[in-house]
């Protein structure tokens, strides 16, 4: 077992919090009180450098543009070309991340890639790592502050998050090094912006109406997966909110999607 592979973790204390929002998208309603037990969350998304150890150790295919996901092919040739062009700087050179991006969050990872990474990290460290649930992610994102829109409060602040404040800058903006923006109340970085983050749950638009009050794990099956947190290319700042639920087909991957790990003990 290798302790040098352990990411820096923050204890997210167990307890109740208000999940969802009454003034946002319909699938964020109703606001409901949820109890989440103690767990640990990585203080930042998995970086390219961390993911490289996994790729080299297991032979898992490195981040690149492979089979195009449904969200891209459904948009026709123009969207496919844009996806390839914008994604090019994030494509790995065999088992090596792009130059200058070692401490940026890994991208171009599917849900299944994130799960495989968690399995490898668990086997390598002796601790049971996994993706956080939606409820765990939202509790962690709020940083111990009740019912605020963003991890830092209700007011949008361009100095707190990496997002696309100017759509004209999409061609020159991108991911940033993890941890350069201020942490939230639990010491977690990049809980809004930089990259979307995979969570465990299947997506169901009305799940909140019947969600268990303790440690909800989402519906048992579904057709769409959930991403949380917004990303560097987000223009609609509502997507940066703690409560926002971004739904995508399970085969989705992009240059703005990464993940972070969690564990219970």
């Amino acid at each position: 077992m290798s302790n040098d592979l352990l990411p820096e973790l923050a204890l997210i204390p167990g307890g109740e919090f208000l999940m969802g929002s009454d003034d946002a998208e319909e699938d964020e309603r109703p606001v409901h009180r949820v109890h989440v037990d103690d767990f640990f969350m990585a203080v930042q998304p998995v970086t390219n450098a961390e993911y490289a150890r996994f790729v080299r150790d297991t032979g898992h295919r490195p981040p690149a543009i492979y089979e195009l996901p449904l969200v891209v092919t459904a948009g026709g040739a123009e969207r496919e070309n844009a996806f390839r062009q914008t994604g090019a700087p994030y494509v790995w050179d065999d088992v090596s991340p792009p130059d200058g991006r070692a401490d940026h969050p890994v991208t171009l990872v599917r849900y299944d890639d994130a799960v495989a990474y968690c399995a490898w990290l668990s086997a390598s460290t002796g601790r049971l790592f996994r993706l956080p649930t939606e409820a765990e992610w939202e509790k962690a994102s709020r940083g111990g502050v009740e019912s605020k829109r963003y991890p830092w409060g209700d007011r949008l602040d361009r100095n707190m998050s990496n997002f696309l404040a100017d759509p004209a800058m999409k061609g020159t903006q991108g991911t940033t090094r993890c941890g350069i923006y201020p942490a939230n109340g639990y010491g977690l970085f990049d809980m809004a912006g930089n990259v979307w983050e995979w969570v465990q749950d299947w997506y169901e638009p009305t799940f909140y109406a019947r969600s268990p009050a303790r440690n909800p794990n989402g519906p048992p099956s579904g057709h769409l997966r959930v991403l949380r947190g917004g990303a560097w290319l987000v223009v609609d700042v509502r997507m940066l909110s703690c409560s926002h639920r971004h739904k995508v087909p399970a085969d989705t991957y992009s240059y703005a999607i990464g993940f972070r790990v969690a564990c219970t003990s």
Side-chain angles (χ1 to χ4, degrees):
M1 302 302 177
S2 178
N3 286 331
D4 66 339
L5 295 176
L6 282 173
E8 184 179 353
L9 300 169
L11 172 65
I12 312 302
E16 291 187 342
F17 77 105
L18 291 175
M19 186 171 183
S21 173
D22 280 333
D23 63 352
E25 300 296 327
E26 193 170 329
D27 63 1
E28 297 170 45
R29 309 172 200 160
V31 173
H32 53 296
R33 192 164 290 280
V34 174
H35 178 98
V36 172
D37 291 341
D38 286 354
F39 70 101
F40 293 90
M41 180 89 101
V43 302
Q44 64 184 25
V46 174
T47 65
N48 282 305
E50 290 171 323
Y51 200 81
R53 300 182 73 170
F54 159 64
V55 168
R56 292 165 184 157
D57 196 34
T58 65
H60 194 89
R61 71 180 188 177
I65 296 174
Y66 298 105
E67 308 85 1
L68 293 178
L70 180 61
V71 293
V72 174
T73 57
E78 184 175 351
R79 183 178 291 182
E80 291 183 18
N81 291 337
F83 182 82
R84 293 183 186 280
Q85 181 178 353
T86 309
Y90 301 89
V91 172
W92 287 32
D93 180 12
D94 193 17
V95 296
S96 298
D99 289 343
R101 295 185 185 270
D103 51 2
H104 288 224
V106 67
T107 60
L108 299 177
V109 286
R110 303 162 301 169
Y111 176 87
D112 290 346
D113 297 322
V115 170
Y117 179 89
C118 291
W120 166 81
L121 188 61
S122 298
S124 300
T125 63
R127 295 182 67 168
L128 189 58
F129 284 96
R130 54 180 174 76
L131 295 176
T133 66
E134 264 204 278
E136 288 174 334
W137 193 97
E138 187 166 328
K139 185 179 195 302
S141 176
R142 294 185 179 280
V145 179
E146 194 76 282
S147 301
K148 296 297 184 181
R149 187 175 301 277
Y150 307 111
W152 56 83
D154 284 328
R155 186 175 64 87
L156 184 64
D157 189 335
R158 293 173 61 177
N159 296 315
M160 299 295 285
S161 175
N162 178 21
F163 66 97
L164 200 60
D166 180 0
M169 298 297 292
K170 181 178 179 180
T172 57
Q173 197 165 323
T175 58
T176 51
R177 177 172 55 83
C178 292
I180 67 171
Y181 292 94
N184 74 358
Y186 288 144
L188 304 176
F189 298 94
D190 295 322
M191 293 301 284
N194 215 3
V195 291
W196 290 105
E197 298 181 8
W198 289 113
V199 294
Q200 278 190 25
D201 305 32
W202 288 103
Y203 173 78
E204 183 181 303
T206 59
F207 182 73
Y208 284 9
R210 59 180 180 82
S211 173
R214 293 185 67 92
N215 301 313
N217 290 306
S221 61
H223 299 289
L224 301 173
R225 289 285 183 186
V226 181
L227 295 165
R228 287 294 198 126
W232 66 265
L233 50 57
V234 161
V235 177
D236 183 350
V237 297
R238 292 175 297 179
M239 293 183 174
L240 299 172
S241 71
C242 297
S243 61
H244 183 75
R245 309 174 72 202
H246 193 52
K247 54 191 182 293
V248 295
D251 74 332
T252 298
Y253 69 97
S254 94
Y255 36 79
I257 296 176
F259 68 101
R260 77 177 69 211
V261 298
C263 63
T264 304
S265 59

